[in-house]
Amino acid sequence: MENIFWFISKISWALIAPETLLLFLLILSSSLLWTRYNKQGRILISSTILFIAMISVFPFSSWILRPLEERFPVPKKLPAQVDGIIVLAGAENISITAARGQPSISDGGERLTTFVWLANIYPNAVLLFSGGSGTLAEQKHKPADTARKMFNQIGLDPERVRFESDSKNTEENALMSYDLIQPKPDQHWILVTSAFHMPRSVGLFRKAGWTVIPYPVDFNTTKSFNLTFDLREIGRLSTGIREWLGLIVYRLTGVTLALFPSP
């Protein structure tokens, strides 16, 4: 049943993601220009381009992402001793790593570098990398393959790290990691993931019975809202919308205990 829900969620988001809808509107409006509905085509293509321009100029993505990123602040002081450190997969470009033989990471590489930094601060902590392939097309290669190569390059012995490579989403990250580690209630564990993803992650780990210390990284927003002209804002807007939808769906289905988990 979980696999069916995961499959449906992937297909659904692929169809309703902002970048998909905008591309569809551009194709549709361009096609209409060559038919007797060319007037409607001109209106539609003009409206779509205006919408793209507004997303690229105005800080819509910041308005959506900033509440997520500021929900859990970076700890000003960490415990003198921690029992373990968890990093969630998501920064690894597994297809390019497999094709080129070198570790390739995309946005969110701070997850891995911060994990290595914390591992050096706490040399006796248990280290856990959690995450399998979350894509429909690539299940042969795993994020752990990239992570091992990356850790080896930047000075962390991969043998120190335990890898959970079967989970396909954040809910499974939490459940499978808990089953693998079996943490005790009085232990201190640090969770590293992207700041926008931290509220949902913390909520899922809490539901699994695991109270973690959030260490958010990979911020997309600043303390101010600035005008810009960057088509990449569409991708950031999409990231924010997807994360909020994830929070809502997980709460409605009872997967988390709170809609917007708090510190």
Side-chain angles (χ1 to χ4, degrees):
M1 186 67 181
E2 290 82 1
N3 286 334
I4 295 176
F5 178 79
W6 171 74
F7 181 82
I8 292 175
S9 67
K10 289 293 181 181
I11 295 296
S12 299
W13 178 249
L15 294 175
I16 67 173
E19 55 268 41
T20 303
L21 293 177
L22 289 172
L23 178 60
F24 171 76
L25 289 175
L26 287 173
I27 294 173
L28 175 61
S29 57
S30 298
S31 301
L32 290 176
L33 294 177
W34 298 91
T35 70
R36 60 191 179 95
Y37 300 104
N38 58 84
K39 181 179 179 180
Q40 289 84 347
R42 290 196 300 271
I43 295 174
L44 183 58
I45 197 170
S46 299
S47 301
T48 304
I49 292 174
L50 177 61
F51 189 60
I52 292 173
M54 290 178 63
I55 294 175
S56 302
V57 173
F58 293 100
F60 292 108
S61 66
S62 294
W63 294 336
I64 289 178
L65 284 169
R66 186 167 165 180
L68 294 166
E69 295 194 334
E70 293 192 344
R71 191 62 166 173
F72 290 91
V74 178
K76 294 182 179 179
K77 185 178 181 180
L78 290 171
Q81 184 66 36
V82 301
D83 297 280
I85 305 164
I86 312 160
V87 63
L88 300 187
E92 305 77 23
N93 195 320
I94 56 180
S95 298
I96 293 179
T97 298
R100 300 298 182 180
Q102 294 182 349
S104 175
I105 57 177
S106 53
D107 291 343
E110 298 94 325
R111 296 190 191 192
L112 301 183
T113 56
T114 302
F115 180 69
V116 173
W117 172 66
L118 290 171
N120 291 329
I121 293 177
Y122 300 106
N124 297 319
V126 177
L127 306 179
L128 174 64
F129 177 94
S130 178
S133 178
T135 65
L136 295 172
E138 180 60 86
Q139 287 294 320
K140 178 180 180 181
H141 303 288
K142 302 292 185 179
D145 302 331
T146 301
R148 283 189 177 92
K149 293 178 184 292
M150 180 61 67
F151 294 154
N152 190 56
Q153 281 193 358
I154 58 181
L156 175 63
D157 184 0
E159 295 300 319
R160 279 190 60 192
V161 184
R162 299 184 69 174
F163 292 90
E164 179 284 300
S165 299
D166 294 323
S167 58
K168 296 184 290 296
N169 56 32
T170 314
E171 180 188 6
E172 292 185 358
N173 282 154
L175 294 173
M176 292 184 180
S177 295
Y178 187 92
D179 290 341
L180 178 64
I181 299 296
Q182 292 293 310
K184 298 178 181 178
D186 60 342
Q187 289 184 331
H188 296 96
W189 283 77
I190 296 175
L191 176 65
V192 180
T193 190
S194 298
F196 69 83
H197 187 51
M198 188 61 78
R200 184 154 59 110
S201 301
V202 169
L204 291 166
F205 271 79
R206 286 175 180 172
K207 181 65 185 298
W210 200 343
T211 301
V212 293
I213 302 170
Y215 199 100
V217 297
D218 180 34
F219 288 85
N220 289 271
T221 63
T222 63
K223 294 294 183 180
S224 60
F225 298 112
N226 300 313
L227 298 180
T228 182
F229 192 83
D230 190 345
L231 286 173
R232 289 175 296 181
E233 288 296 311
I234 298 173
R236 284 188 277 267
L237 178 68
S238 180
T239 296
I241 293 174
R242 183 174 182 269
E243 200 61 31
W244 280 108
L245 284 176
L247 285 166
I248 294 170
V249 170
Y250 277 171
R251 183 67 192 103
L252 291 176
T253 56
V255 175
T256 54
L257 300 174
L259 174 63
F260 195 31
S262 60

